Amino acid sequence: MGDSTRETSTGAVERIFNVSQLLEEKGVSRRDFMKFCTTLSAALALPAGFAPRIAQALDEVKRPTLVWLEFQDCAGDTEALLRAANPTVGELILDILSVDYHETVMAAAGFQAEEALAKVVREQKGKYIAIVEGSIPMKDGGVYCCVAGRSALDIAREVCGNALATVAVGTCASYGGLPAARPNPTGAVGVSQAVPGAKVVNLPGCPLNADNLTATVVHYLVFNKLPAADALGRPLFAYGKRIHDNCERRAHFDAGQYVESWGDPAHAKGHCLYKMGCKGPETYHNCPTQKFNEKTSWPVASGHGCCGCSQPQFWDTMTPIYHRLPNVPGFGIESSADKIGMGIAAGTALAFGAHGLVSAFRKGDSAEGAKEDR
Amino acid sequence: MANLYEKYVWEVPVRVTHWINVICIALLSITGLLIGNPKLFTLSTSDYLMGWIRFVHFVAAYTFTVSVVSRLYWSLIGNRYASWREFVPFLTPEGRRGMLDTLRYYTFVSRKAPHVVGHNSLAGTAYFVVFLLYLTMIVTGFTLYSERAPLGVTHKLFGWVMVLFTNQGLRLTHHMTMWFLVAFAIHHVYSAWLMDVKEKGGVMSSIFSGYKAVRKEG
């Protein structure tokens, strides 16, 4: 191994990592590495000239520590990161940069594992990056999610509060996600709401796109700051554009060609999923351009509408998933707004028609024209 | 029916905004229904049918907004029949009495048709509600429109609406309010006809000419 070593303050010998060397050991050529850097500069919406700068920044990296916390989650974001068909450069980079603590993948268990986390917080205060997956329950003192006898809220306050920055991965960690869906029995919230003082960047999505996580971390390594974000704390490079505007089926929307039911000829031809309840027109994410699983596909490409998973409280605010409009509250589940609206219009016409008939045949109304104003 | 004379009631801005609103509401309702639930026939992906329908909707929306704002402005400087006071009769005891009298006439309890030059108190109150519906449509509509440019001025301007409404709630409100306006339009034409027949003041033609037949006192 071509890396150098140094002694830490505690006397332990620590290897100093060099990303491009390590990649070489893992069988990734310099050319592949440069290709990755170019792709990444594109993902970050930077000019191509930034690729060498990204490569340089990654070369010089001194292994910033990552800790990955899981709270009320399904490990779906972890899966999204780990389940790539082939190990990508991005995955290896995260592998190298990370990860002193990750419940799902770490070898250590029990006290040993918790000690690893405590050590990071103690020794690298203000220098490590915390990644949080899953929402944090606030109700009843946070008893609904405990790890090693401590509540998620307690852990998040300590770990995220002392971190250099926190990346909330997935919609749960960003805004509460599914655990926060009505009636939200555990009082689940996202990291920025649970730990208001922490420096948080949100990467919502169900799951998040691992490319956006790599890009965010690399952005930090290159520029030494977090990427510019929108009002919801989401980096603009990934969440600054509307799905509808970058959708490959947009031409069918503008033309007026829509899927009317699943499996109909329009569906087979790949027409627009607007009438099937696609929430692309109100969702901001780079799915159409970045795609998932090494740019293989994304929901709309595979024939299913967007369900708005990267928007706050999407389970409450973007449903019903397969209809344009929700039902009118209080009118039973089969009453659409249009049926009720037509009922109102017809009812009005009927009522006033009847009133008109009565009025027309009614004699003796005093009708002397309007009096002059006083 | 003696001593009738012609009285200039509806000024030009009142009539112009009235008819612009009629055209805009008709266009907005038809295109809006097609946007909410497109039933289009097109064979070619190179068509731009939905594109044009949305274009008409947005142009009509801007026109309608300018018309409503102009009418609100005119309610400050126009004549007494155009004034904002016409729309809030429920604030005065006299107006509340007028509302009750008109309601009694409409429900066939009384035979005395309301005798007023401008709007009767009940009509004035109805238009107050209609103006609230207009504002609901304008605010929810522009909020939905602003979604196309998340960092744009309109999006920043209407960001507060997304705090009041969920995304789907916003759509439903915009859609249902249209049906309330359609119902209002039906009622509006009917009661204009009724008053034209009963009051014999020419209220139906007055929205074209501006003049009504008014009886001289004494």
Side-chain angles (χ1 to χ4, degrees):
Chain A
M1 304 245 323
D3 49 273
S4 51
T5 57
R6 66 173 175 144
E7 246 178 65
T8 63
S9 52
T10 52
V13 176
E14 195 177 70
R15 291 217 316 265
I16 295 173
F17 285 77
N18 175 311
V19 171
S20 58
Q21 270 176 16
L22 269 171
L23 287 173
E24 228 170 278
E25 282 167 29
K26 295 201 177 194
V28 178
S29 71
R30 181 76 188 168
R31 181 181 165 81
D32 283 341
F33 177 58
M34 289 311 290
K35 268 160 74 181
F36 167 77
C37 294
T38 310
T39 318
L40 213 57
S41 65
L44 285 165
L46 295 171
F50 266 90
R53 230 180 118 179
I54 290 174
Q56 195 191 358
L58 291 178
D59 270 346
E60 288 167 358
V61 143
K62 291 215 183 66
R63 201 182 190 203
T65 304
L66 256 70
V67 293
W68 186 298
L69 305 175
E70 287 184 64
F71 298 131
Q72 292 189 129
D73 72 326
C74 64
D77 301 296
T78 300
E79 290 280 340
L81 190 69
L82 301 177
R83 275 281 179 92
N86 308 298
T88 60
V89 184
E91 200 189 335
L92 290 177
I93 295 243
L94 282 176
D95 201 25
I96 290 159
L97 299 180
S98 63
V99 174
D100 282 22
Y101 180 87
H102 187 316
E103 286 149 17
T104 305
V105 296
M106 72 197 300
F111 293 112
Q112 208 183 3
E114 294 313 310
E115 178 50 30
L117 181 60
K119 191 174 163 226
V120 170
V121 176
R122 197 169 56 233
E123 288 179 6
Q124 305 198 49
K125 192 169 177 173
K127 288 182 202 152
Y128 61 93
I129 296 174
I131 294 184
V132 178
E133 180 181 0
S135 64
I136 297 165
M138 304 286 275
K139 222 178 245 179
D140 302 326
V143 296
Y144 299 109
C145 178
C146 292
V147 180
R150 289 174 71 195
S151 73
L153 181 61
D154 197 24
I155 298 171
R157 276 189 184 140
E158 192 197 346
V159 177
C160 302
N162 287 314
L164 175 71
T166 302
V167 185
V169 296
T171 305
C172 297
S174 300
Y175 312 119
L178 297 191
R182 266 194 300 267
N184 193 358
T186 65
V189 296
V191 181
S192 48
Q193 214 182 322
V195 192
K199 200 163 142 198
V200 180
V201 58
N202 289 328
L203 299 176
C206 198
L208 98 153
N209 192 330
D211 292 352
N212 291 338
L213 176 59
T214 316
T216 303
V217 172
V218 168
H219 184 287
Y220 182 77
L221 296 177
V222 174
F223 297 106
N224 225 8
K225 63 178 184 193
L226 293 172
D230 67 5
L232 296 168
R234 307 178 294 191
L236 290 172
F237 74 81
Y239 301 88
K241 289 192 175 121
R242 191 163 64 147
I243 284 185
H244 191 49
D245 295 329
N246 285 310
C247 182
E248 62 218 36
R249 300 189 183 212
R250 179 59 187 262
H252 296 294
F253 173 83
D254 287 334
Q257 296 178 311
Y258 304 99
V259 177
E260 298 280 343
S261 65
W262 301 117
D264 72 358
H267 195 210
K269 284 181 200 154
H271 289 176
C272 175
L273 293 156
Y274 178 76
K275 290 183 79 173
M276 303 311 288
C278 178
K279 303 298 182 293
E282 47 266 17
T283 305
Y284 302 87
H285 207 166
N286 58 356
C287 307
T289 45
Q290 202 63 25
K291 303 186 178 173
F292 289 84
N293 301 328
E294 290 165 71
K295 297 187 190 293
T296 308
S297 188
W298 66 292
V300 171
S302 64
H304 186 286
C306 164
C307 66
C309 73
S310 56
Q311 298 299 114
Q313 314 305 332
F314 78 98
W315 202 257
D316 296 325
T317 63
M318 292 291 180
T319 44
I321 287 173
Y322 299 114
H323 294 282
R324 278 304 310 153
L325 282 180
N327 290 308
V328 182
F331 280 86
I333 47 171
E334 288 303 320
S335 304
S336 76
D338 282 338
K339 274 188 208 157
I340 290 169
M342 270 184 253
I344 291 171
T348 312
L350 272 177
F352 288 107
H355 192 281
L357 273 177
V358 176
S359 301
F361 290 106
R362 203 164 117 104
K363 302 293 177 206
D365 282 3
S366 61
E368 296 167 5
K371 271 187 213 127
E372 195 174 32
D373 291 310
R374 290 165 301 279
Chain B
M1 293 294 285
N3 301 325
L4 283 179
Y5 74 102
E6 55 192 37
K7 185 170 177 62
Y8 189 51
V9 180
W10 314 124
E11 296 161 298
V12 171
V14 174
R15 283 175 282 148
V16 167
T17 53
H18 174 269
W19 289 112
I20 288 177
N21 287 357
V22 171
I23 295 166
C24 286
I25 290 172
L27 279 176
L28 285 164
S29 299
I30 294 164
T31 53
L33 277 170
L34 285 171
I35 292 167
N37 188 15
K39 299 231 185 291
L40 309 175
F41 182 75
T42 173
L43 290 176
S44 164
T45 306
S46 303
D47 278 344
Y48 198 63
L49 214 52
M50 184 63 149
W52 283 115
I53 288 170
R54 292 174 72 239
F55 177 74
V56 170
H57 193 81
F58 300 146
V59 170
Y62 272 112
T63 313
F64 179 70
T65 306
V66 171
S67 172
V68 169
V69 171
S70 311
R71 182 63 184 83
L72 286 174
Y73 174 63
W74 194 255
S75 75
L76 300 176
I77 60 168
N79 70 15
R80 58 178 297 184
Y81 308 110
S83 165
W84 60 272
R85 289 179 191 84
E86 282 275 290
F87 304 107
V88 287
F90 49 85
L91 293 182
T92 64
E94 195 192 345
R96 285 195 287 271
R97 208 175 318 118
M99 281 170 72
L100 194 67
D101 287 347
T102 313
L103 191 68
R104 282 160 58 81
Y105 176 71
Y106 275 141
T107 50
F108 306 122
V109 174
S110 138
R111 285 183 179 277
K112 198 163 163 290
H115 295 164
V116 285
V117 177
H119 306 112
N120 72 55
S121 324
L122 204 57
T125 309
Y127 302 146
F128 178 75
V129 175
V130 165
F131 264 101
L132 291 183
L133 295 180
Y134 286 173
L135 291 180
T136 308
M137 284 313 252
I138 291 167
V139 169
T140 55
F142 274 97
T143 309
L144 290 169
Y145 184 58
S146 73
E147 288 185 330
R148 100 215 122 87
L151 296 172
V153 179
T154 355
H155 198 257
K156 291 205 168 81
L157 218 55
F158 288 97
W160 58 274
V161 185
M162 290 310 277
V163 180
L164 295 178
F165 292 90
T166 65
N167 173 69
Q168 289 293 81
L170 193 63
R171 265 158 226 285
L172 188 64
T173 307
H174 195 66
H175 202 100
M176 280 310 288
T177 308
M178 176 213 68
W179 283 113
F180 289 130
L181 285 172
V182 168
F184 163 77
I186 293 169
H187 150 261
H188 181 63
V189 172
Y190 166 72
S191 47
W193 168 81
L194 182 73
M195 282 300 128
D196 192 271
V197 170
K198 299 291 182 185
E199 193 185 67
K200 300 189 181 71
V203 70
M204 210 64 161
S205 72
S206 71
I207 197 60
F208 296 97
S209 66
Y211 286 91
K212 279 176 88 172
V214 173
R215 196 159 48 95
K216 251 198 193 97
E217 198 85 70

